[in-house]
Amino acid sequence: PEVLSYQEGIGGTVKVYRDSAGNRTLSVNGFPVAGTNLTMQDAQKALAHLPLLLSNVSSPRVNIVGFGTGGTSWGVMQHDVEAVDCVELVPAVVDAADWFPEVNHGVLSDPNFNLIRGDGRNYALMTEKEYDIISVDATSPKMAGNGSLYSIEFYELLKERLSSGGMAVQWIPFHLLSDREVRMIAKTFMTVFPHTTLWFTPLRQYVILVGTRDRLEIDYASLSSKLEMPAVQRDLALLNVSDPVDVLSLFVMGEEVLSQYVGDAALNTDNRPYLEFTPALAYFVSDRYWLQTMRRMRESRESVFPSLVTVGETEEAIAAVAEELDRRFDARHHSIDGDILLFMGMREEAIDEYNQALQIDAQEMNWLNTIWLREGRPK
């Protein structure tokens, strides 16, 4: 790769580099955290848009933990928000923003965007501000010291900062983790936020925990209205998300099924930071870990409708949405099987599953994997 920028500092060593495909990546202490490639934008856009699309708070106040290349911050700013405070620990990460204009669109110069230079956990401890949404865009829990942003004590701090209708979201890079580690993070999060649901990102490269004070209730009309905002449409177009079904079909598990899924997993705490010392290590995680987790999520997956979604008063409206969501739900089972088979190198079998998905619902496709089918899966 071609190194474009390199800075060493107390907070970390920050590098920007370009690969042979032309993608630019930001790394901190040698670990890639964000960039221009589609996979990384999948996480950033999901952390920005999913909580704002699901929240029932009008003009929410938002706290983002971690700036990265600024994709999450930019996405949040496309919504009707009262205030946005983003906390970033490493100064060189902010300096690197100029290398990613197509990701952050110069959000740092937006007068309504407030960048706070500091530690996200200490900020949650010291601030007296209250937020309606807190989006944790922290880097991998497998890097030394990062486990403190996945501990029960951190989540308790976040809960103290949330409004009565507040929502906390936590990114999980399950491709870097074993099933045991995924369940540990979810169990720790759920201990503080019992009303937790699990969602895929649009390209299914990551999952996101959504924790609320009360049981999550999704207003279908409000979700539809937010998706009609031109700025939101433009930012989500890259991930092929355009309507409420695209969003609601990202749902994986509700709080009851998720509680069964995590089972008796250990809690990650400050005194017992198991997460940093469990077997899977960053990019050295075995393919079998990813397959095990994906299969378990596929088996546990349930429909978001009708338990969490309020559609309307007429039976016709409810029936129409139910039919559309059921069709996408069935199609996605085949699409997820395609993901698994493609990951295993079973190309023809994967194509067959994707074709079955498209026969059920023409809008169902993992667009990242269409690239992999054409160009081959990255090694």
Side-chain angles (χ1 to χ4, degrees):
E2 176 189 4
V3 176
L4 304 173
S5 175
Y6 186 91
Q7 290 190 53
E8 294 182 0
I10 295 176
T13 298
V14 177
K15 180 172 66 175
V16 178
Y17 60 91
R18 179 163 45 216
D19 63 23
S20 58
N23 295 311
R24 274 162 281 121
T25 300
L26 174 75
S27 70
V28 178
N29 294 332
F31 190 88
V33 297
T36 60
N37 74 68
L38 202 56
T39 300
M40 288 182 169
Q41 293 203 52
D42 182 36
Q44 296 174 77
K45 293 185 186 298
L47 284 166
H49 294 287
L50 184 61
L52 282 154
L53 290 170
L54 298 179
S55 174
N56 293 319
V57 177
S58 177
S59 300
R61 295 153 296 180
V62 183
N63 176 213
I64 304 169
V65 180
F67 182 75
T69 55
T72 299
S73 296
W74 166 255
V76 167
M77 293 297 292
Q78 304 317 295
H79 291 262
D80 177 18
V81 291
E82 178 181 323
V84 178
D85 294 330
C86 176
V87 187
E88 173 53 54
L89 176 64
V90 184
V93 167
V94 180
D95 296 340
D98 290 342
W99 288 103
F100 303 94
E102 68 271 63
V103 176
N104 60 60
H105 302 271
V107 70
L108 289 170
S109 62
D110 190 319
N112 297 316
F113 178 76
N114 180 34
L115 178 72
I116 299 169
R117 297 175 185 264
D119 177 77
R121 176 160 171 168
N122 284 339
Y123 177 76
L125 174 66
M126 301 300 295
T127 187
E128 296 182 355
K129 287 187 176 182
E130 187 177 81
Y131 294 98
D132 303 302
I133 294 173
I134 302 178
S135 183
V136 183
D137 191 6
T139 189
S140 171
K142 297 308 298 181
M143 300 298 288
N146 292 345
S148 64
L149 292 180
Y150 294 82
S151 71
I152 195 168
E153 290 84 359
F154 176 57
Y155 296 143
E156 288 170 344
L157 288 175
L158 297 188
K159 188 173 184 178
E160 292 176 8
R161 301 275 69 82
L162 283 179
S163 66
S164 58
M167 175 183 295
V169 296
Q170 171 71 73
W171 166 74
I172 301 182
F174 74 93
H175 66 300
L176 303 179
L177 304 168
S178 67
D179 180 69
R180 172 189 173 191
E181 292 162 336
V182 172
R183 291 189 297 109
M184 184 187 302
I185 295 173
K187 179 67 174 286
T188 304
F189 189 87
M190 289 189 73
T191 301
V192 179
F193 298 102
H195 300 291
T196 294
T197 53
L198 184 72
W199 301 72
F200 278 125
T201 55
L203 299 182
R204 298 197 289 275
Q205 299 304 295
Y206 314 95
V207 289
I208 291 180
L209 293 167
V210 175
T212 50
R213 287 191 176 275
D214 300 312
R215 185 176 178 85
L216 179 65
E217 294 182 0
I218 304 167
D219 187 318
Y220 190 86
S222 174
L223 173 59
S224 301
S225 178
K226 292 172 185 176
L227 285 168
E228 290 174 358
M229 298 170 62
V232 173
Q233 286 184 346
R234 287 192 297 269
D235 203 42
L236 287 173
L238 183 66
L239 302 181
N240 200 49
V241 173
S242 61
D243 63 39
V245 174
D246 292 332
V247 176
L248 296 175
S249 61
L250 301 176
F251 183 79
V252 183
M253 301 178 214
E255 56 190 74
E256 291 85 5
V257 174
L258 184 57
S259 180
Q260 297 172 12
Y261 171 75
V262 300
D264 59 354
L267 298 179
N268 189 59
T269 69
D270 287 347
N271 287 339
R272 293 180 173 83
Y274 296 122
L275 194 58
E276 292 185 46
F277 298 96
T278 43
L281 296 173
Y283 281 136
F284 300 102
V285 64
S286 169
D287 283 359
R288 68 181 175 86
Y289 284 139
W290 183 94
L291 288 170
Q292 181 185 36
T293 302
M294 197 63 165
R295 282 170 172 159
R296 286 202 60 181
M297 288 185 180
R298 196 268 192 210
E299 293 168 359
S300 301
R301 182 172 167 263
E302 59 177 335
S303 176
V304 70
F305 188 83
S307 60
L308 301 180
V309 181
T310 302
V311 176
E313 297 181 358
T314 68
E315 292 185 6
E316 292 79 5
I318 295 173
V321 172
E323 182 181 358
E324 198 169 0
L325 283 171
D326 284 346
R327 184 168 59 248
R328 184 68 63 87
F329 180 83
D330 292 340
R332 182 141 299 183
H333 271 319
H334 290 286
S335 186
I336 292 173
D337 284 342
D339 295 348
I340 293 171
L341 290 167
L342 185 60
F343 196 87
M344 295 171 63
M346 301 172 68
R347 180 186 175 88
E348 297 305 318
E349 292 85 349
I351 292 174
D352 181 60
E353 291 292 340
Y354 289 138
N355 284 336
Q356 289 188 61
L358 291 171
Q359 288 173 10
I360 298 171
D361 187 333
Q363 300 303 312
E364 170 55 35
M365 173 58 76
N366 185 332
W367 296 101
L368 180 63
N369 281 341
T370 64
I371 297 173
W372 286 2
L373 285 169
R374 184 175 65 247
E375 302 176 358
R377 186 170 74 84
K379 299 297 183 182

